[in-house]
Amino acid sequence: HLTHPSPHHIFPQIISMKVVCVGAGYVGGPTMAVMALKSPDVEVWVVDLNQGLIDKWNSDKLPIYEPGLEEVVKECRGRNLFFSSDVTGTVSDADVVFVAVNTPTKVYGVGEGRAAEVKNIEAVARMLCQHLGTGFQVVVEKS
């Protein structure tokens, strides 16, 4: 849920674009925190359906540890870095969407034990098709 007002609507002249990352885990959270630090004119959102995870990103005890991450999040959170569980509402007016959701190893079927389970990416792709307008860009980051 939205915990901070969006600067894009309050100060549209200084915010150049809205970037949203779907997935608040080990890739999405730190990547977007650094983007917010290095691009102060970009409104950066990290969204996830897991409200508990979002609550941790919005607290003083982050859900993951990376050296320097806590300081970066504290500097940017509420300025141009935001965390929310309102996935569809947040992506609806995004200029760019990154997808950084979990793709664990398949535990059944063809590729069991070797291939990536892509159901989370598929679910995000379907949601984006329903909630994004025209002229958007989607970036999927997978290792």
Side-chain angles (χ1 to χ4, degrees):
H1 299 286
L2 186 62
T3 58
H4 303 283
S6 170
H8 190 64
H9 303 292
I10 298 169
F11 306 108
Q13 69 279 9
I14 61 169
I15 298 297
S16 64
M17 72 169 42
K18 179 178 179 180
V19 174
V20 177
C21 179
V22 180
Y26 287 91
V27 173
T31 301
M32 294 300 110
V34 172
M35 180 180 286
L37 179 69
K38 298 296 184 180
S39 304
D41 62 326
V42 175
E43 179 182 344
V44 180
W45 286 84
V46 180
V47 297
D48 201 293
L49 293 175
N50 182 335
Q51 183 63 53
L53 186 58
I54 293 300
D55 289 344
K56 288 178 183 174
W57 280 108
N58 281 317
S59 76
D60 289 333
K61 183 150 174 62
L62 301 182
I64 62 172
Y65 173 79
E66 288 288 341
L69 180 62
E70 183 177 342
E71 292 79 11
V72 170
V73 171
K74 284 183 179 179
E75 180 177 336
C76 299
R77 188 176 50 207
R79 181 189 72 195
N80 70 321
L81 176 63
F82 305 92
F83 299 92
S84 176
S85 59
D86 180 13
V87 177
T88 57
T90 306
V91 302
S92 64
D93 64 343
D95 296 300
V96 178
V97 176
F98 284 81
V99 178
V101 296
N102 192 19
T103 53
T105 303
K106 286 180 75 172
V107 294
Y108 61 90
V110 176
E112 177 182 353
R114 299 180 315 246
E117 173 56 74
V118 295
K119 66 181 177 183
N120 294 332
I121 288 182
E122 181 181 349
V124 171
R126 290 180 186 281
M127 179 272 303
L128 291 174
C129 287
Q130 292 176 344
H131 296 283
L132 284 177
T134 59
F136 63 87
Q137 298 179 32
V138 177
V139 178
V140 178
E141 173 56 39
K142 294 310 311 163
S143 53

